[in-house]
Each structure stands twice: as structure tokens, then as C-alpha cells.
Amino acid sequence: MLDYLVLYQSESGNTKKIAASIFSRLPGNSKDLIDIDTDKTIPEANVYFIGFCVHRGSCSMEVSDFLSDLSGKQIALFGTCGMGDSPEYYKDIAGRVSAWIEADNDYLGYFICQGKMPQKVRMKYESMRNDENNDQIDRFIQNFDLALTHPDDLDVEHAKVFVDHMLKKIQL
């Protein structure tokens, strides 16, 4: 059994980038970094760092199914989100995702940062524009443009600080 498993799902590379930084910060050699969508067998670990890309305020069914199957583990969540750079929104997301964690696990905490979105999202926003929603669409497009550089070096550093905080809570 591994000490640490960093398991993630990434569609655009955002969550993969954060997963790699989390993995690099974990001590020792009893650890692995795995994309949940791989055909590789997922090993058992004492501590799971589970990453996801946010869709409609939550994680995918693959991630929620994996979370709900864990028992007696220490779990930390991390994710990337295109919409908004809002601690309140990130807390809501973490609440929805952590709801899949069974009570016999030890939920350690979460880290969520902004991530860039595909260009098709911006095009969708532009196509939705009308006289009634002009201001809202402008805010969506502004957020899209701001997200283009994320996750950035500061997000990566914040992920490493997150790992340091989680390591203080972990019992191996």
C-alpha cells in the first residue's frame, strides 16, 4: 500500500498541472500520480489527494464514484475551476464534492484555483449575448480572459502550501 496517491481528472491540463505540483511536494517514494481515466490499476493508499475539473459546480461522476467507494482513508480534494476566482464559490464546490466522501474517512480539506477554459466557451458566451444580458455576458467574458493564464505560478505555489498544511494533519 502506498503512503500517498494523487489521483486526478483533467480535461484541459489545468488539474494535471496542479496534480503534478502536489505530487512533487509529497515526501518519500511511496507515492504515485495517476489520471483517473487511465486503464492502469489504481493502487490503494493511506492518503488520497483527489483532483477534479469543475463542471456545473461539482466533479464528474467518475470522481464522485471513486470518492464514495473509499473507506477508512485520509482524503484531500483539489480542483480547477474556470468560472470565477471566488473563495466562497470554491467553498461551495468543495462542499458539494466532499459530500461524496463516506463518514468513515478523514476529510482533510481542499484547494481550488482558477483554470483556463477552452476557446469554445468564450464563443458560446458571445453567441448568447442579447440586450437583456449584455452586462452579465461582459462579466463572463472578462472572467474568461482573466482565467487564460491560470493555473499560474502563484496557483502552483498555493497548491504546495496546501500540501504542507495537509501533511500536518496526516497520520501515517
Side-chain angles (χ1 to χ4, degrees), residues 15-162:
T15 307
K16 182 178 182 177
K17 182 176 183 177
I18 298 299
S21 70
I22 288 172
F23 178 78
S24 72
R25 193 66 165 200
L26 292 170
N29 294 317
S30 182
K31 60 185 182 178
D32 205 349
L33 172 67
I34 299 176
D35 183 334
I36 198 170
D37 293 326
T38 187
D39 291 335
K40 183 177 175 181
T41 301
I42 298 173
E44 191 172 350
N46 289 314
V47 181
Y48 291 81
F49 285 81
I50 300 178
F52 55 93
C53 43
V54 175
H55 289 284
R56 295 186 174 100
S58 192
C59 62
S60 70
M61 288 301 294
E62 292 86 1
V63 172
S64 64
D65 287 348
F66 187 84
L67 284 170
S68 63
D69 286 343
L70 291 175
S71 178
K73 303 299 179 183
Q74 297 173 86
I75 302 168
L77 299 174
F78 66 96
T80 58
C81 177
M83 276 310 292
D85 185 11
S86 164
E88 297 82 21
Y89 181 49
Y90 294 165
K91 183 178 179 181
D92 289 345
I93 293 166
R96 284 190 284 280
V97 176
S98 66
W100 295 103
I101 298 172
E102 296 294 329
D104 68 334
N105 293 292
D106 183 10
Y107 174 51
L108 302 169
Y110 71 93
F111 170 76
I112 299 176
C113 68
Q114 195 164 27
K116 64 185 169 297
M117 297 173 273
Q119 194 64 34
K120 67 182 179 183
V121 172
R122 193 179 204 282
M123 292 171 23
K124 178 182 175 187
Y125 292 156
E126 290 169 350
S127 72
M128 293 168 49
R129 185 183 299 277
N130 60 45
D131 292 338
E132 290 83 39
N133 70 6
N134 200 40
D135 290 341
Q136 180 183 29
I137 296 299
D138 283 347
R139 286 191 303 275
F140 286 171
I141 290 173
Q142 180 183 21
N143 177 77
F144 177 93
D145 292 344
L146 289 172
L148 286 172
T149 60
H150 291 272
D152 61 15
D153 291 344
L154 188 57
D155 295 322
V156 168
E157 285 307 310
H158 287 157
K160 291 176 181 178
V161 170
F162 164 71

